[in-house]
Amino acid sequence: MHGKISLVFAVLWLAGTTNALSKVDQARILGPQGVNLWMLDKVAQNTYIAQEGSQKTFKADDTYDFPAQWFKQPLDHFDKNSKHSFHQRYWVSTRHYEPRPGAPVIVLDGGETSGEDRLPFLDTGIVEILARATGGVGVILEHRYYGQSIPVSNFSTDALRFLNNDQSAADSANFMKNVKFDGVDEDLTAPGTPWIYYGGSYAGARAAHMKVLYPDIVWGAIASSAVTHAALENWQYMEVIREAADSKCADHLVNSINTIDDVLIGGNKFFKNQLKKLFGLGDLEHDEDFVSVLESPLGSWQAKCWDPEVGSTGFDDFCDFLDKPFGRVTTAALDLPFGHEDRKVFLEDGFALDIAIINYGKWVKEHVVTRCPSDFSVEDCFGTFDDEKYKDIGIDQDWRLWLFQVCTEWGYFTTAPPDQNMARIVSKLLTLGYESKICKQAFPPGKHFSVPSLPNITAVNALGDFWIAADRLAIIDGEVDPWRPDTPHSDDAEEREDTLLRPFKLIPDGVHHYDEYGLANLFEEPAEIRKIHAEMITFVNSWLRDWNVEHGIDDTTEL
C-alpha cells in the first residue's frame, strides 16, 4: 500500500474508530481482514499526524497521575547463558495504600495491548476498586513485546520467538518476587506479600495460569473472560452473537448470508459481480476476501459495555440499519418474511435481493469500504492473497504480535460452523485454511524459529483447559460474551459451585470482562455491576483474612 489520502479521510477515521473494536480485537476476530483494517487505520493515523503536525490525538490519556516505571527482565528466563535483557513497563497507584503486614498488591496483567490502554482500570476500574477496598497497592504490568516493553529491534519470526506463554509468565513471577516500588519503604515482594493477580480475556487466562504455575507467589487470582481453552476453529464466537442478538436481526443475518453464499457458489458470474458491487467490492478478486469483509460489523458485539463512555453501539446500529425501508420497499413491508416479493429490490437483468441484503451492502460501503483511500484499489485494501502486504517487520507493525501468538500457541481462527446445515451469520467460505494462511504469509521460517503448520494449542490447554481450578482462583464471565465458549463457563464445561474460596460467577447479559470497568462512585454503576464488584470485594477480603490467619497477623482492625 502506498500513496496519499486526504485529511477528510483521516478525520473520518478518527470519528469512525471512536468507541469501536480495538485494533487487537479487530485482528483477533477478523483474521487477515482485520490486519488489512489495521493497516488502513495506520495509514489514516499517519496522514492525520503529518497534516496536523501532532501525534497527541493518538496518545493515551495523559491525565492519569501514574508515571511509568521500569523493571529489568531477562529476554530468555530459561537460558542462563543468555545476557540479553529488556525493561518492562509498569504503573503504580499508592493512593489507598495503608502500610501494614498483609497489605496486598493488586496487579493487572496488561495482556495483548499497550499497558497505557489499561490505565483507566488503575484509576476507576477493578484495580482501583480492589485497592481501595483492601488498602493495597495497585499495579498495571505491561506484557513483553507490547506497548514500550519491546525487547527486540524488529518483529521478524526469529525476533518474536521469545513471545510465548512460558516467558511471559516468568516475567510476571520475576517481577512479583523482586520489584521495589518507588516511594514505598516496605518490602512488598512475593511470597512475603499477598499478591492478587487480575486479568481479562487473554490476560484472564494468564491470571489463571499464574495461579497454577506459581501458587507460591500468587496468593489469589481473578480470571475474567479467561480464554483458558485454546481452539483452532473459533466458530462458536459468532454462534453466541447469533443466539444473543435481537431475533429479527439474527434472522436477517442468517438469511442474508445464506443468500450471499448461494450467489457466490451458484456460478452466475453476472449475479456475483452485481452482489459484490452492491457492497462496494466489485473489484475484489477472491470470494473469501469478500465474505470476510462482511464479518466486520459483527465484531462490534464484543465492543459493547455497560459504561456508555467506553462501550460501542455499533452492533445495534448495524442491526437497525438492516431494517430500513428503501425505494419500493415500504416500512410496512419490513415486517414481511425475508425474501417476500414486497421486500425485494430489483437490480439489473432480473437480479433481485431482499432489502436486508441491500442495506447490508450500504452499511459496508459507508462504514468499511470508505476506509479505503481513493488512490488505493479495493484489492489493495481488502485483498489477503498478496504475501508482500504482510512482510513489513518493523516494530510499528504491532498487529504481528498477537497474530504470532495466535499462530504459535492460541489459535482462535474465526470460521464457519463445521456443520454447514447450522444456522450461521458468517459465510461457509470462511475456512480454517483461509483464516490461517496469514501465518505462513507473515511469518516465514527464520534461522532460529519456525512457526508450526498449526498452533500448538496443547501448550495452553495442558494448563487446565475448561477445568482449570485452584483455591483462591476466581472465574468470572459474561453470559453473552462471544468468548464464553472458550472459558470455564463454556457449555462444554461442567457447572461448578460458587464459593468464597473458588468463586465461579456469570454476569447476566454481560459481554467481555464487564467487571474490569468501574465508576469512581460504585453506587452509580448498574445493579449487576455493583453486585459483581461487591462480591469481588467480599471474596478478596476473605482471601486476605486467610493470609493473615496463615501468617499470624492480627486483622481485627477494619480499614
Side-chain angles (χ1 to χ4, degrees):
M1 293 185 178
H2 58 279
K4 299 179 180 178
I5 60 176
S6 67
L7 180 61
V8 172
F9 172 67
V11 172
L12 284 174
W13 171 82
L14 280 173
T17 54
T18 301
N19 285 345
L21 205 62
S22 73
K23 291 190 302 180
V24 171
D25 288 326
Q26 191 168 254
R28 187 203 324 246
I29 299 163
L30 304 180
Q33 201 58 253
V35 175
N36 282 346
L37 296 176
W38 180 97
M39 291 179 176
L40 292 177
D41 290 348
K42 189 76 170 179
V43 170
Q45 173 182 333
N46 290 342
T47 299
Y48 182 85
I49 293 170
Q51 297 190 15
E52 292 296 288
S54 170
Q55 193 174 342
K56 185 171 179 58
T57 303
F58 305 101
K59 287 184 178 178
D61 191 338
D62 57 5
T63 61
Y64 299 114
D65 189 22
F66 309 121
Q69 301 180 47
W70 303 87
F71 180 82
K72 188 176 181 179
Q73 292 279 17
L75 175 61
D76 187 349
H77 289 272
F78 308 107
D79 181 359
K80 300 308 177 185
N81 294 319
S82 174
K83 304 301 181 183
H84 298 287
S85 63
F86 72 101
H87 286 86
Q88 187 172 23
R89 189 167 55 159
Y90 67 99
W91 297 260
V92 179
S93 171
T94 57
R95 58 169 62 148
H96 302 293
Y97 176 49
E98 295 286 344
R100 68 196 188 282
V105 176
I106 314 295
V107 60
L108 184 144
D109 189 304
E112 71 284 32
T113 188
S114 168
E116 293 176 345
D117 297 338
R118 308 306 192 193
L119 291 181
F121 306 131
L122 192 60
D123 188 48
T124 60
I126 193 58
V127 181
E128 159 70 9
I129 291 168
L130 294 178
R132 181 171 59 203
T134 63
V137 172
V139 178
I140 304 292
L141 181 61
E142 190 168 66
H143 194 295
R144 63 165 49 205
Y145 284 84
Y146 290 91
Q148 293 183 22
S149 299
I150 302 175
V152 291
S153 60
N154 63 64
F155 290 156
S156 67
T157 304
D158 275 345
L160 292 173
R161 71 188 185 276
F162 299 106
L163 176 56
N164 59 50
N165 298 337
D166 289 343
Q167 297 286 359
S168 303
D171 282 344
S172 296
N174 188 42
F175 177 82
M176 295 166 68
K177 290 188 292 186
N178 294 289
V179 69
K180 174 69 174 71
F181 296 125
D182 291 348
V184 175
D185 295 331
E186 296 75 26
D187 179 359
L188 297 183
T189 56
T193 295
W195 282 66
I196 307 297
Y197 201 106
Y198 179 96
S201 193
Y202 160 67
R206 280 181 39 76
H209 294 164
M210 287 299 297
K211 183 59 183 161
V212 170
L213 292 170
Y214 298 97
D216 55 327
I217 61 173
V218 178
W219 181 249
I222 303 172
S224 177
S225 294
V227 288
T228 56
H229 172 73
L232 293 178
E233 298 188 61
N234 197 30
W235 63 271
Q236 290 169 301
Y237 181 99
M238 293 298 180
E239 181 65 6
V240 170
I241 297 174
R242 184 187 70 80
E243 292 181 342
D246 172 79
S247 59
K248 189 175 185 181
C249 178
D251 288 345
H252 284 337
L253 287 170
V254 169
N255 289 316
S256 294
I257 290 300
N258 282 336
T259 302
I260 290 167
D261 275 355
D262 287 345
V263 172
L264 294 176
I265 297 170
N268 188 314
K269 293 183 179 180
F270 176 78
F271 286 174
K272 181 192 293 191
N273 190 51
Q274 287 289 99
L275 176 67
K276 289 185 176 181
K277 283 183 177 179
L278 178 67
F279 286 80
L281 299 167
D283 294 327
L284 196 56
E285 179 180 355
H286 296 275
D287 294 345
E288 298 93 335
D289 289 339
F290 171 67
V291 294
S292 71
V293 176
L294 271 55
E295 279 188 291
S296 55
L298 307 181
S300 297
W301 179 274
Q302 183 178 321
K304 287 173 175 278
C305 183
W306 59 266
D307 182 356
E309 293 297 316
V310 296
S312 169
T313 61
F315 186 88
D316 296 332
D317 295 341
F318 167 65
C319 280
D320 291 343
F321 200 93
L322 294 182
D323 208 32
K324 286 180 176 289
F326 175 77
R328 65 180 289 272
V329 180
T330 65
T331 301
L334 296 176
D335 292 327
L336 296 171
F338 184 98
H340 189 283
E341 202 68 16
D342 291 345
R343 287 179 56 93
K344 288 185 177 179
V345 175
F346 289 85
L347 304 175
E348 295 182 33
D349 293 343
F351 185 48
L353 293 170
D354 186 272
I355 184 62
I357 300 178
I358 300 296
N359 287 334
Y360 200 157
K362 290 172 63 179
W363 194 97
V364 169
K365 260 187 178 180
E366 294 176 13
H367 294 84
V368 183
V369 178
T370 53
R371 294 161 76 171
C372 185
S374 59
D375 56 346
F376 285 33
S377 71
V378 166
E379 191 68 29
D380 286 338
C381 291
F382 304 110
T384 68
F385 285 82
D386 180 3
D387 295 355
E388 292 303 312
K389 292 175 69 170
Y390 310 111
K391 296 301 187 186
D392 189 343
I393 60 173
I395 60 172
D396 62 330
Q397 303 295 303
D398 56 12
W399 60 268
R400 298 178 65 84
L401 301 176
W402 176 246
L403 184 64
F404 182 83
Q405 294 187 259
V406 162
C407 293
T408 52
E409 294 183 317
W410 289 86
Y412 301 132
F413 299 105
T414 306
T415 62
D419 181 356
Q420 295 196 352
N421 294 318
M422 280 184 64
R424 52 193 163 73
I425 59 175
V426 296
S427 170
K428 66 176 68 173
L429 299 180
L430 295 177
T431 64
L432 178 60
Y434 170 74
E435 295 288 350
S436 65
K437 67 182 176 62
I438 194 171
C439 294
K440 292 181 179 179
Q441 293 174 296
F443 305 112
K447 180 179 178 181
H448 303 288
F449 186 84
S450 293
V451 169
S453 58
L454 287 173
N456 178 25
I457 58 174
T458 302
V460 176
N461 294 334
L463 296 176
D465 207 319
F466 292 130
W467 306 277
I468 194 166
D471 289 349
R472 297 182 302 279
L473 170 57
I475 304 293
I476 302 175
D477 291 302
E479 182 182 23
V480 293
D481 183 354
W483 289 100
R484 185 169 64 83
D486 300 304
T487 75
H489 273 102
S490 168
D491 293 340
D492 296 325
E494 295 179 359
E495 184 60 41
R496 306 187 195 182
E497 185 181 2
D498 176 25
T499 67
L500 283 175
L501 194 59
R502 296 188 174 195
F504 191 71
K505 300 181 181 296
L506 191 65
I507 303 173
D509 295 320
V511 188
H512 207 45
H513 47 81
Y514 259 29
D515 59 293
E516 194 163 9
Y517 304 92
L519 301 180
N521 183 352
L522 298 186
F523 293 104
E524 295 178 356
E525 296 175 348
E528 290 295 345
I529 303 304
R530 285 201 312 273
K531 181 175 184 289
I532 191 66
H533 284 160
E535 291 173 344
M536 295 171 78
I537 290 170
T538 297
F539 67 66
V540 168
N541 274 320
S542 175
W543 297 350
L544 295 178
R545 285 193 294 272
D546 292 345
W547 166 277
N548 289 339
V549 169
E550 188 169 311
H551 292 79
I553 298 170
D554 180 7
D555 66 348
T556 57
T557 303
E558 294 291 334
L559 291 172

